[in-house]
Amino acid sequence: MTKFKGVSQIEGKERRFIESCFRVLQREGVQLPMRFETPIEGAKIINQIIASREASSEEKDQMALSLIDEAKQELLPLDEFNWFKDDERACYFVWASIYLCRYLSTPHHPINKSPNHPLIFAVHYNQLGLKNNPSNSQERFDEVVKYFDYIPQHKQWKLDLITYLKDTWSQVFKSRKPFSWLKKDNDEQCLWAWEYMQRVDINRSKPMIYQFSPTNTAERYLAIYAAFDTWKTTVEAKRLFSIDFNKAWQQKKHRDSRQGKKACSLVLHEETKLKLDELAQAKNVTLSQLVEQLINKEHSKQLG
Protein backbone atom coordinates (compact mmCIF):
# COMPACT_ATOMS: atom_id res chain seq x y z
CA MET A 1 0.00 0.00 0.00
CA THR A 2 1.35 3.42 -0.96
CA LYS A 3 1.11 6.64 1.02
CA PHE A 4 0.87 10.26 -0.09
CA LYS A 5 1.76 12.94 2.43
CA GLY A 6 1.46 10.35 5.18
CA VAL A 7 -2.01 9.17 4.12
CA SER A 8 -2.61 5.61 2.91
CA GLN A 9 -3.91 5.55 -0.65
CA ILE A 10 -6.81 3.50 -1.96
CA GLU A 11 -5.53 1.42 -4.86
CA GLY A 12 -7.69 0.97 -7.94
CA LYS A 13 -6.93 -2.66 -8.72
CA GLU A 14 -10.34 -4.29 -8.26
CA ARG A 15 -13.73 -2.86 -9.20
CA ARG A 16 -15.53 -4.88 -6.50
CA PHE A 17 -13.37 -3.34 -3.80
CA ILE A 18 -13.75 0.23 -5.11
CA GLU A 19 -17.54 -0.19 -5.39
CA SER A 20 -17.57 -1.45 -1.80
CA CYS A 21 -15.63 1.67 -0.70
CA PHE A 22 -18.22 3.82 -2.49
CA ARG A 23 -21.07 2.08 -0.65
CA VAL A 24 -19.39 2.58 2.73
CA LEU A 25 -18.88 6.29 2.02
CA GLN A 26 -22.44 6.70 0.75
CA ARG A 27 -23.78 5.25 4.01
CA GLU A 28 -21.77 7.93 5.79
CA GLY A 29 -23.56 10.59 3.73
CA VAL A 30 -20.67 11.38 1.40
CA GLN A 31 -21.78 12.75 -1.98
CA LEU A 32 -20.24 10.65 -4.75
CA PRO A 33 -20.61 10.41 -8.52
CA MET A 34 -23.23 7.91 -9.69
CA ARG A 35 -20.59 5.81 -11.44
CA PHE A 36 -16.94 5.63 -12.45
CA GLU A 37 -15.41 4.24 -15.62
CA THR A 38 -12.42 2.37 -14.19
CA PRO A 39 -11.30 1.23 -10.73
CA ILE A 40 -8.35 3.63 -10.98
CA GLU A 41 -10.75 6.53 -11.56
CA GLY A 42 -12.87 5.41 -8.60
CA ALA A 43 -9.84 5.16 -6.33
CA LYS A 44 -8.75 8.66 -7.36
CA ILE A 45 -12.16 10.06 -6.38
CA ILE A 46 -11.98 8.40 -2.96
CA ASN A 47 -8.42 9.58 -2.27
CA GLN A 48 -9.39 13.14 -3.22
CA ILE A 49 -12.34 13.03 -0.82
CA ILE A 50 -10.14 11.86 2.06
CA ALA A 51 -7.44 14.42 1.19
CA SER A 52 -10.03 17.24 1.27
CA ARG A 53 -11.12 16.48 4.84
CA GLU A 54 -10.20 19.03 7.50
CA ALA A 55 -8.07 16.73 9.61
CA SER A 56 -4.47 15.91 10.36
CA SER A 57 -2.48 13.51 8.21
CA GLU A 58 -2.69 10.92 10.98
CA GLU A 59 -6.49 11.23 11.13
CA LYS A 60 -6.82 11.04 7.34
CA ASP A 61 -4.62 7.97 7.31
CA GLN A 62 -6.85 6.34 9.91
CA MET A 63 -9.91 7.24 7.79
CA ALA A 64 -8.37 5.52 4.78
CA LEU A 65 -7.36 2.41 6.73
CA SER A 66 -10.80 2.13 8.35
CA LEU A 67 -12.45 2.51 4.95
CA ILE A 68 -10.24 -0.19 3.46
CA ASP A 69 -10.97 -2.57 6.32
CA GLU A 70 -14.74 -2.02 6.27
CA ALA A 71 -14.96 -2.28 2.47
CA LYS A 72 -13.05 -5.59 2.50
CA GLN A 73 -15.15 -6.98 5.34
CA GLU A 74 -18.31 -6.61 3.26
CA LEU A 75 -17.01 -8.72 0.36
CA LEU A 76 -17.01 -12.50 0.23
CA PRO A 77 -13.90 -14.02 -1.38
CA LEU A 78 -14.57 -15.08 -4.96
CA ASP A 79 -13.58 -18.61 -3.92
CA GLU A 80 -16.96 -18.87 -2.18
CA PHE A 81 -18.63 -18.82 -5.61
CA ASN A 82 -16.36 -21.32 -7.37
CA TRP A 83 -18.66 -24.30 -6.78
CA PHE A 84 -21.21 -23.01 -9.28
CA LYS A 85 -19.14 -20.73 -11.52
CA ASP A 86 -18.61 -23.33 -14.26
CA ASP A 87 -21.79 -25.37 -13.71
CA GLU A 88 -24.60 -23.78 -15.73
CA ARG A 89 -27.42 -25.63 -14.03
CA ALA A 90 -26.05 -24.88 -10.53
CA CYS A 91 -25.47 -21.24 -11.48
CA TYR A 92 -29.07 -20.87 -12.66
CA PHE A 93 -30.24 -22.54 -9.44
CA VAL A 94 -28.34 -20.03 -7.28
CA TRP A 95 -29.47 -17.04 -9.30
CA ALA A 96 -33.11 -18.20 -9.37
CA SER A 97 -33.02 -18.88 -5.62
CA ILE A 98 -31.98 -15.35 -4.70
CA TYR A 99 -34.20 -13.85 -7.40
CA LEU A 100 -37.36 -15.66 -6.29
CA CYS A 101 -36.91 -15.90 -2.51
CA ARG A 102 -36.98 -13.52 0.41
CA TYR A 103 -34.47 -14.14 3.18
CA LEU A 104 -34.57 -13.11 6.80
CA SER A 105 -32.45 -10.20 7.98
CA THR A 106 -30.34 -9.93 11.13
CA PRO A 107 -30.38 -10.98 13.90
CA HIS A 108 -31.73 -14.13 12.21
CA HIS A 109 -29.90 -16.62 10.07
CA PRO A 110 -31.16 -15.87 6.53
CA ILE A 111 -33.20 -19.11 6.53
CA ASN A 112 -33.88 -20.30 10.07
CA LYS A 113 -36.81 -18.67 11.83
CA SER A 114 -36.32 -17.75 15.48
CA PRO A 115 -39.45 -17.69 17.70
CA ASN A 116 -37.91 -14.95 19.83
CA HIS A 117 -37.75 -12.28 17.12
CA PRO A 118 -40.22 -10.78 14.66
CA LEU A 119 -39.71 -11.75 11.03
CA ILE A 120 -37.74 -8.99 9.36
CA PHE A 121 -36.74 -9.59 5.77
CA ALA A 122 -33.50 -8.54 4.13
CA VAL A 123 -33.50 -6.31 1.06
CA HIS A 124 -34.83 -8.25 -1.91
CA TYR A 125 -32.92 -8.88 -5.14
CA ASN A 126 -35.26 -6.57 -7.08
CA GLN A 127 -34.40 -3.67 -4.76
CA LEU A 128 -30.68 -3.79 -5.52
CA GLY A 129 -30.77 -2.62 -9.14
CA LEU A 130 -29.78 -6.02 -10.51
CA LYS A 131 -30.86 -7.60 -13.81
CA ASN A 132 -34.23 -9.35 -13.78
CA ASN A 133 -33.42 -11.42 -16.85
CA PRO A 134 -29.70 -12.19 -17.31
CA SER A 135 -29.25 -13.58 -20.81
CA ASN A 136 -26.59 -16.22 -20.14
CA SER A 137 -24.71 -18.08 -17.42
CA GLN A 138 -21.89 -15.53 -17.15
CA GLU A 139 -24.39 -12.73 -16.58
CA ARG A 140 -26.18 -14.81 -13.96
CA PHE A 141 -22.90 -15.48 -12.16
CA ASP A 142 -22.02 -11.76 -12.22
CA GLU A 143 -25.45 -10.82 -10.82
CA VAL A 144 -25.11 -13.36 -8.00
CA VAL A 145 -21.73 -11.90 -6.99
CA LYS A 146 -23.21 -8.38 -7.13
CA TYR A 147 -26.14 -9.49 -4.97
CA PHE A 148 -23.79 -10.65 -2.23
CA ASP A 149 -21.70 -7.49 -2.65
CA TYR A 150 -24.64 -5.08 -2.61
CA ILE A 151 -26.99 -6.52 -0.01
CA PRO A 152 -26.57 -4.58 3.24
CA GLN A 153 -26.02 -7.57 5.52
CA HIS A 154 -23.01 -8.53 7.62
CA LYS A 155 -20.45 -10.96 6.30
CA GLN A 156 -21.57 -13.92 8.42
CA TRP A 157 -25.11 -13.57 7.04
CA LYS A 158 -23.71 -13.79 3.52
CA LEU A 159 -21.59 -16.81 4.41
CA ASP A 160 -24.60 -18.51 5.99
CA LEU A 161 -26.68 -17.93 2.87
CA ILE A 162 -24.05 -19.15 0.41
CA THR A 163 -23.53 -22.24 2.61
CA TYR A 164 -27.29 -22.89 2.70
CA LEU A 165 -27.52 -22.62 -1.10
CA LYS A 166 -24.54 -24.94 -1.54
CA ASP A 167 -26.04 -27.54 0.80
CA THR A 168 -29.42 -27.31 -0.93
CA TRP A 169 -27.80 -27.71 -4.34
CA SER A 170 -25.88 -30.77 -3.17
CA GLN A 171 -29.22 -32.43 -2.34
CA VAL A 172 -30.62 -31.48 -5.76
CA PHE A 173 -27.50 -32.72 -7.54
CA LYS A 174 -27.50 -36.05 -5.71
CA SER A 175 -30.99 -36.80 -7.00
CA ARG A 176 -31.44 -38.64 -10.26
CA LYS A 177 -31.52 -36.27 -13.25
CA PRO A 178 -35.26 -35.94 -13.82
CA PHE A 179 -35.47 -35.40 -17.59
CA SER A 180 -32.71 -37.50 -19.12
CA TRP A 181 -34.29 -37.33 -22.60
CA LEU A 182 -34.23 -33.50 -22.68
CA LYS A 183 -31.25 -32.21 -24.67
CA LYS A 184 -29.90 -28.69 -24.39
CA ASP A 185 -29.48 -28.27 -28.16
CA ASN A 186 -32.78 -29.87 -29.24
CA ASP A 187 -35.17 -27.09 -30.29
CA GLU A 188 -38.20 -29.36 -30.58
CA GLN A 189 -37.76 -30.96 -27.16
CA CYS A 190 -37.05 -27.74 -25.29
CA LEU A 191 -39.95 -25.87 -26.91
CA TRP A 192 -42.38 -28.73 -26.21
CA ALA A 193 -41.17 -28.96 -22.58
CA TRP A 194 -41.48 -25.21 -22.10
CA GLU A 195 -45.01 -25.13 -23.50
CA TYR A 196 -45.96 -28.18 -21.40
CA MET A 197 -44.86 -26.40 -18.23
CA GLN A 198 -46.71 -23.24 -19.28
CA ARG A 199 -50.08 -24.99 -19.50
CA VAL A 200 -52.37 -24.22 -16.60
CA ASP A 201 -53.68 -27.33 -14.88
CA ILE A 202 -55.62 -26.67 -11.68
CA ASN A 203 -55.64 -30.38 -10.85
CA ARG A 204 -51.88 -30.82 -10.98
CA SER A 205 -49.01 -29.19 -9.14
CA LYS A 206 -46.11 -28.14 -11.33
CA PRO A 207 -43.07 -25.81 -11.31
CA MET A 208 -43.72 -22.17 -12.13
CA ILE A 209 -41.80 -20.79 -15.10
CA TYR A 210 -43.53 -17.44 -15.63
CA GLN A 211 -40.71 -15.66 -13.79
CA PHE A 212 -38.19 -16.62 -16.47
CA SER A 213 -37.81 -15.23 -20.00
CA PRO A 214 -35.31 -17.40 -21.92
CA THR A 215 -34.17 -16.08 -25.30
CA ASN A 216 -32.98 -19.28 -27.01
CA THR A 217 -33.09 -23.07 -26.81
CA ALA A 218 -30.15 -23.49 -24.42
CA GLU A 219 -31.55 -20.84 -22.07
CA ARG A 220 -34.99 -22.47 -22.22
CA TYR A 221 -33.40 -25.80 -21.24
CA LEU A 222 -31.66 -24.22 -18.23
CA ALA A 223 -34.80 -22.33 -17.18
CA ILE A 224 -36.82 -25.58 -17.18
CA TYR A 225 -34.33 -27.16 -14.80
CA ALA A 226 -34.12 -23.99 -12.67
CA ALA A 227 -37.90 -23.97 -12.23
CA PHE A 228 -37.82 -27.63 -11.21
CA ASP A 229 -34.71 -27.33 -8.99
CA THR A 230 -36.08 -24.32 -7.04
CA TRP A 231 -39.65 -25.67 -6.82
CA LYS A 232 -40.71 -25.55 -3.15
CA THR A 233 -42.67 -28.78 -2.83
CA THR A 234 -42.37 -32.32 -1.55
CA VAL A 235 -40.09 -35.00 -2.94
CA GLU A 236 -43.19 -37.02 -3.83
CA ALA A 237 -44.72 -34.12 -5.78
CA LYS A 238 -41.51 -33.75 -7.78
CA ARG A 239 -41.43 -37.48 -8.46
CA LEU A 240 -45.03 -37.52 -9.71
CA PHE A 241 -44.47 -34.47 -11.90
CA SER A 242 -41.36 -36.07 -13.44
CA ILE A 243 -43.33 -39.26 -14.22
CA ASP A 244 -46.16 -37.31 -15.87
CA PHE A 245 -43.73 -35.03 -17.72
CA ASN A 246 -41.66 -37.89 -19.12
CA LYS A 247 -44.75 -39.93 -20.00
CA ALA A 248 -46.27 -36.98 -21.87
CA TRP A 249 -43.12 -36.66 -23.98
CA GLN A 250 -43.11 -40.38 -24.82
CA GLN A 251 -46.76 -40.14 -25.84
CA LYS A 252 -45.98 -37.18 -28.08
CA LYS A 253 -43.14 -39.12 -29.72
CA HIS A 254 -45.47 -42.06 -30.30
CA ARG A 255 -48.15 -39.85 -31.86
CA ASP A 256 -45.60 -38.18 -34.11
CA SER A 257 -44.23 -41.54 -35.26
CA ARG A 258 -47.70 -42.62 -36.36
CA GLN A 259 -48.45 -39.53 -38.43
CA GLY A 260 -49.20 -40.48 -42.05
CA LYS A 261 -49.65 -44.12 -41.09
CA LYS A 262 -52.74 -46.30 -41.03
CA ALA A 263 -53.35 -49.56 -39.23
CA CYS A 264 -53.62 -52.59 -41.51
CA SER A 265 -54.77 -55.99 -40.26
CA LEU A 266 -53.63 -59.06 -42.24
CA VAL A 267 -54.29 -62.75 -41.64
CA LEU A 268 -51.35 -64.88 -42.78
CA HIS A 269 -50.55 -68.56 -42.75
CA GLU A 270 -48.34 -69.45 -39.82
CA GLU A 271 -45.50 -70.49 -42.12
CA THR A 272 -45.66 -67.17 -43.99
CA LYS A 273 -45.61 -65.27 -40.69
CA LEU A 274 -42.49 -67.20 -39.61
CA LYS A 275 -40.79 -66.30 -42.88
CA LEU A 276 -41.63 -62.61 -42.34
CA ASP A 277 -40.17 -62.77 -38.83
CA GLU A 278 -36.97 -64.34 -40.15
CA LEU A 279 -36.63 -61.72 -42.89
CA ALA A 280 -37.26 -58.87 -40.47
CA GLN A 281 -34.63 -60.26 -38.09
CA ALA A 282 -32.11 -60.71 -40.90
CA LYS A 283 -32.65 -57.12 -42.11
CA ASN A 284 -32.80 -55.76 -38.54
CA VAL A 285 -36.13 -53.99 -39.13
CA THR A 286 -39.62 -54.23 -37.68
CA LEU A 287 -42.36 -56.20 -39.37
CA SER A 288 -44.09 -53.00 -40.40
CA GLN A 289 -40.90 -51.66 -41.95
CA LEU A 290 -40.29 -54.96 -43.77
CA VAL A 291 -43.80 -55.08 -45.24
CA GLU A 292 -43.49 -51.48 -46.39
CA GLN A 293 -40.13 -52.23 -48.05
CA LEU A 294 -41.51 -55.31 -49.86
CA ILE A 295 -44.61 -53.47 -51.07
CA ASN A 296 -42.65 -50.44 -52.24
CA LYS A 297 -40.15 -52.65 -54.05
CA GLU A 298 -42.87 -54.64 -55.83
CA HIS A 299 -44.85 -51.51 -56.59
CA SER A 300 -41.76 -49.96 -58.19
CA LYS A 301 -41.15 -53.07 -60.30
CA GLN A 302 -44.74 -53.33 -61.51
CA LEU A 303 -45.68 -49.67 -61.93
CA GLY A 304 -42.40 -47.82 -61.91
Side-chain angles (χ1 to χ4, degrees):
M1 182 182 298
T2 61
K3 286 194 175 188
F4 180 71
K5 294 184 178 179
V7 179
S8 297
Q9 298 294 287
I10 308 298
E11 297 180 351
K13 293 181 179 179
E14 297 180 13
R15 176 172 286 272
R16 285 182 73 214
F17 170 67
I18 298 301
E19 288 179 344
S20 185
C21 288
F22 266 55
R23 289 191 292 274
V24 172
L25 291 172
Q26 285 168 341
R27 285 201 302 269
E28 296 174 356
V30 178
Q31 296 297 315
L32 292 163
M34 292 296 294
R35 60 190 303 273
F36 53 87
E37 293 297 327
T38 66
I40 292 176
E41 180 187 337
K44 183 178 179 181
I45 292 169
I46 296 169
N47 289 327
Q48 288 174 341
I49 288 171
I50 294 174
S52 66
R53 297 278 177 88
E54 292 186 2
S56 66
S57 295
E58 290 78 8
E59 290 171 328
K60 291 177 183 178
D61 187 56
Q62 187 56 47
M63 290 177 196
L65 293 175
S66 296
L67 174 60
I68 291 168
D69 183 62
E70 188 171 353
K72 286 182 176 179
Q73 281 299 313
E74 295 194 0
L75 300 177
L76 294 183
L78 285 176
D79 288 351
E80 294 290 342
F81 307 103
N82 283 347
W83 60 272
F84 64 87
K85 183 177 182 180
D86 298 318
D87 184 331
E88 290 192 305
R89 182 179 167 192
C91 187
Y92 213 132
F93 165 81
V94 174
W95 176 82
S97 295
I98 61 177
Y99 175 66
L100 299 174
C101 297
R102 295 192 68 91
Y103 299 108
L104 297 173
S105 182
T106 51
H108 309 286
H109 180 282
I111 306 300
N112 298 333
K113 296 178 176 62
S114 169
N116 301 320
H117 298 281
L119 298 184
I120 302 173
F121 289 98
V123 174
H124 188 256
Y125 179 97
N126 287 333
Q127 298 172 281
L128 295 171
L130 302 172
K131 293 180 180 178
N132 288 332
N133 187 36
S135 60
N136 55 55
S137 296
Q138 184 60 55
E139 282 192 4
R140 276 186 288 276
F141 178 80
D142 292 342
E143 294 307 291
V144 170
V145 174
K146 289 177 184 177
Y147 170 84
F148 281 93
D149 287 353
Y150 294 0
I151 193 164
Q153 296 292 142
H154 56 76
K155 194 170 188 176
Q156 189 57 51
W157 185 97
K158 298 178 183 183
L159 287 169
D160 287 344
L161 180 54
I162 202 72
T163 300
Y164 166 78
L165 292 171
K166 187 175 184 179
D167 291 344
T168 305
W169 171 250
S170 70
Q171 296 303 312
V172 172
F173 186 73
K174 279 193 295 188
S175 303
R176 181 181 175 185
K177 196 171 184 181
F179 321 126
S180 58
W181 53 269
L182 187 63
K183 305 304 178 187
K184 184 178 178 180
D185 59 352
N186 190 305
D187 294 343
E188 179 193 7
Q189 289 181 348
C190 291
L191 182 59
W192 177 89
W194 185 257
E195 291 175 347
Y196 178 90
M197 294 179 77
Q198 280 184 318
R199 295 178 205 144
V200 176
D201 187 344
I202 60 175
N203 298 315
R204 182 179 301 164
S205 178
K206 63 170 59 177
M208 295 290 101
I209 61 171
Y210 67 89
Q211 304 98 327
F212 307 130
S213 302
T215 55
N216 56 48
T217 297
E219 283 294 295
R220 194 173 286 124
Y221 169 90
L222 291 170
I224 289 166
Y225 268 103
F228 185 81
D229 292 341
T230 58
W231 185 19
K232 303 295 185 183
T233 190
T234 63
V235 173
E236 180 64 10
K238 283 195 170 187
R239 187 183 72 84
L240 292 175
F241 172 79
S242 298
I243 291 172
D244 290 342
F245 188 62
N246 295 332
K247 187 184 297 183
W249 170 250
Q250 294 304 321
Q251 290 171 344
K252 178 199 180 309
K253 279 178 60 181
H254 180 68
R255 289 193 303 270
D256 290 349
S257 70
R258 296 182 65 86
Q259 285 185 3
K261 296 184 179 181
K262 202 163 190 176
C264 180
S265 178
L266 296 173
V267 178
L268 303 174
H269 288 292
E270 186 174 343
E271 184 179 349
T272 303
K273 174 63 166 60
L274 288 172
K275 289 178 180 178
L276 276 175
D277 289 339
E278 289 174 357
L279 280 171
Q281 186 174 1
K283 290 177 172 289
N284 194 28
V285 295
T286 64
L287 283 175
S288 295
Q289 289 171 331
L290 175 62
V291 171
E292 283 189 356
Q293 289 175 9
L294 294 173
I295 291 172
N296 289 335
K297 183 178 180 180
E298 189 62 26
H299 184 274
S300 179
K301 284 169 58 178
Q302 296 294 329
L303 303 176

